[in-house]
Amino acid sequence: MTCCISRRPMTFSDPMDPPIPEFLHNDDDHEEAGPSVKIEEDGPSCLVCGRVANTGHHYGVTACLGCKTFFRRVVLQKNSPKCKYKNQCRLEKSVNAKRLCRSCRYQKCLEVGMTEEALHPCRDVIGRRVRHHSVDSSPISSPPSISISPQLSICKMMSLCDGDFELLQTITEMDTEIRTRTAHILGEPSNGDQQIHFYSPTPDYTNVSVNHGIGPSLKVDIILLKEWVGRIPGYLDLSERCQEHLMRRFCLRYTVIEHGLFTAQMPYHKNVWFLSDRTCLVSEFENLPEEIHRHLTPKVIREQKLLAPFTEMLIHDVADPLRRLKPDSVEIATVKTLMLLKPTCLKEIEGEYLATQRDLKTINEVRNRVIAGLYTHFIKKGIDPEQLPIRISEILELTGGVEICANRALEEMQLLRVFNLSSFDQYSADVIFGFYRDY
C-alpha cells in the first residue's frame, strides 16, 4: 500500500483556527521528544504526524520519537485528553504538527495501529519522573509515578512483577485444568492426576470423521466457558451487563483457540481443520487421507464446500501460526485473557454504555498485570532481553488471526442455522447469538 507522497508533517488543528502559514518553526517547547523539526527528503514518514526525521518502528507502527513518547506518556499516565470540538479537528500539513489537540493526536495513534499491548510494563516504567501531587489535585490527573533507577537490575525488575507473574500462573493453571476436563469429557483417556496443558490427540487419523453439524462439536466448550471466564481475576467484579457482553463476544474466540491448539497437534494436513471431538472441516477434497475420505458423501461434500473458505481461513490464520510459534501454556493463557478483557469492544448501544468507568478501570488493571506477568515469565525462562519485544509481538499477533476467524465463524453459524445445516442447543444458541454482542 503506497502512502501519501507529501513529506510535510500533519497538524491536528481546531476547526475555528485560521490557516497556518507554511513556513519553518522552531517549536522545541512543544515537542514531546526529538530535535527541532527538520524536513527530510528521504526515508519513511511518521504515520501519525507525517514527520520524516527520527522515524522508526515503535509500538507496532512507523512513528517518530515525538509521537512514540507522546503515546507512551498518555498510556502510562492514564491520561484521557479531551477534544473541545468533538474529535472533528481537521488535519493540515504543517511543520508545527504536534502542538495542537492532544485528543485527536492520541486517536490518530490508535487509528494507525499503535497498541497499548506493545508497551512493556516493567521496561517502560524505567526513567519515569516522580510527580509531587498536591492534596487538591484534579481527579483526572495522573497518579503518582514510581521512581525507578535506570540502572535497575533484571532481578529487581523481576521482583517488581512477581505478583503479576503469580496472577498469570493462577490463570494458566485454571486454563489447563478446564482443558483437561474438556479433553476427558470428549473421550481423552484419563492419566491419573496428570493435567493436559495442550491436547494430546492420537497422532493419526484414527476415528476422525468429517464434521456434520458444528453446533454439537462446540457444546462442551460453551458449557465450560462460563466457569472459565468466572475464574479470571476481576471478572466477577464487573457489572452484570459487562460480564454478559464480554462472555458472549469471547465465546467463539475461545473455541477457535482451543480447536486451533488441537489442530496444531494433529498430523499436518494443509486442507484439514480438526475439532477436539475428532471431527474435521475440509477445505479441498483431493489427496485426503483415506480415513477421512471414506466419510465423504454428496451431502457432506456440499456442506463442506459451503464452509471451505472459512476452513481455509482457520488453517491459514490460526493453525499455521500456532504450529510455527509453538506457544507455551502461559502464552496461551495470556492471549485468551487479553481477548476476553478487551475494553475497546465495550461500545455504546441504544444510548447506554456496556461498561461503567469502574468496569474499564478493572479491565485495564488486569490486562496490564497479565502483560507484566508475561514479561516476567520470559525473563524467568532466560530469554535474551533483546528478543523479548519480538516474542511478545509474535504472541500478540495471534489475536489478529483469532479475531478475524471468530467474526467469520459467527456469520457462518448464522448461515448454517438459517438453512438448518446445524443445530444448537438453547444455551449454546443464547451465548453465541445472544443480544448485545459485538463482532
Side-chain angles (χ1 to χ4, degrees), residues 167-413:
L167 178 139
L168 183 54
Q169 284 293 320
T170 299
I171 295 174
T172 303
E173 291 169 3
M174 175 274 295
D175 185 45
T176 299
E177 176 196 331
I178 291 183
R179 182 174 299 115
T180 301
R181 218 180 324 150
T182 302
H184 292 166
I185 292 173
L186 294 173
E188 182 80 16
S190 178
N191 189 8
D193 295 329
Q194 183 178 0
Q195 290 188 320
I196 298 175
H197 287 269
F198 295 126
Y199 297 98
S200 302
T202 304
D204 55 37
Y205 301 116
T206 303
N207 298 325
V208 173
S209 61
V210 180
N211 186 272
H212 183 61
I214 197 77
S217 297
L218 304 182
K219 185 175 180 178
V220 174
D221 293 315
I222 299 299
I223 289 174
L224 295 178
L225 171 66
K226 188 171 185 178
E227 178 186 349
W228 193 96
V229 299
R231 292 172 65 179
I232 293 294
Y235 179 82
L236 295 180
D237 297 329
L238 304 175
S239 63
E240 185 176 345
R241 191 182 190 196
C242 181
Q243 289 183 35
E244 181 182 14
H245 176 76
L246 289 177
M247 184 181 74
R248 284 176 166 168
R249 185 184 184 278
F250 179 62
C251 67
L252 294 180
R253 288 149 181 80
Y254 178 88
T255 59
V256 166
I257 292 173
E258 289 300 302
H259 297 293
L261 290 172
F262 189 91
T263 301
Q265 291 176 276
M266 285 291 284
Y268 174 77
H269 195 288
K270 65 177 182 179
N271 298 326
V272 182
W273 169 269
F274 297 94
L275 291 87
S276 50
D277 63 350
R278 295 192 76 80
T279 62
C280 67
L281 302 177
V282 180
S283 62
E284 295 185 11
F285 304 95
E286 296 181 359
N287 302 319
L288 286 176
E290 178 57 31
E291 297 92 332
I292 297 176
H293 191 274
R294 67 188 178 198
H295 294 286
L296 295 178
T297 65
K299 182 178 179 180
V300 169
I301 290 176
R302 285 196 301 270
E303 293 176 0
Q304 293 297 313
K305 283 184 176 180
L306 184 66
L307 295 172
F310 173 54
T311 303
E312 185 176 354
M313 180 185 294
L314 287 168
I315 296 169
H316 180 269
D317 292 340
V318 179
D320 288 349
L322 286 171
R323 288 191 181 100
R324 175 173 55 85
L325 294 175
K326 296 180 173 57
D328 61 29
S329 54
V330 175
E331 292 168 329
I332 288 296
T334 299
V335 169
K336 292 170 73 173
T337 305
L338 294 179
M339 297 198 76
L340 169 66
L341 301 177
K342 185 174 181 180
T344 55
C345 75
L346 296 169
K347 65 181 183 181
E348 184 180 8
I349 293 181
E350 296 180 356
E352 298 182 10
Y353 286 101
L354 296 173
T356 65
Q357 288 298 317
R358 180 181 176 183
D359 291 336
L360 294 175
K361 180 179 179 182
T362 300
I363 288 171
N364 283 314
E365 285 178 351
V366 176
R367 285 173 60 89
N368 290 338
R369 292 193 64 188
V370 167
I371 296 173
L374 179 64
Y375 181 85
T376 307
H377 168 67
F378 288 144
I379 295 295
K380 288 178 179 290
K381 285 182 64 175
I383 295 180
D384 183 350
E386 293 185 358
Q387 297 300 314
L388 280 178
I390 298 174
R391 182 61 181 179
I392 290 177
S393 65
E394 288 177 338
I395 294 303
L396 294 179
E397 281 177 4
L398 287 172
T399 63
V402 174
E403 286 281 358
I404 293 171
C405 291
N407 292 338
R408 179 66 177 270
L410 181 61
E411 298 174 0
E412 297 290 342
M413 290 182 193

Side-chain angles (χ1 to χ4, degrees), residues 70-81:
F70 168 81
F71 181 79
R72 172 178 175 270
R73 187 171 298 154
V74 170
V75 172
L76 291 179
Q77 295 180 351
K78 297 181 172 62
N79 287 332
S80 299

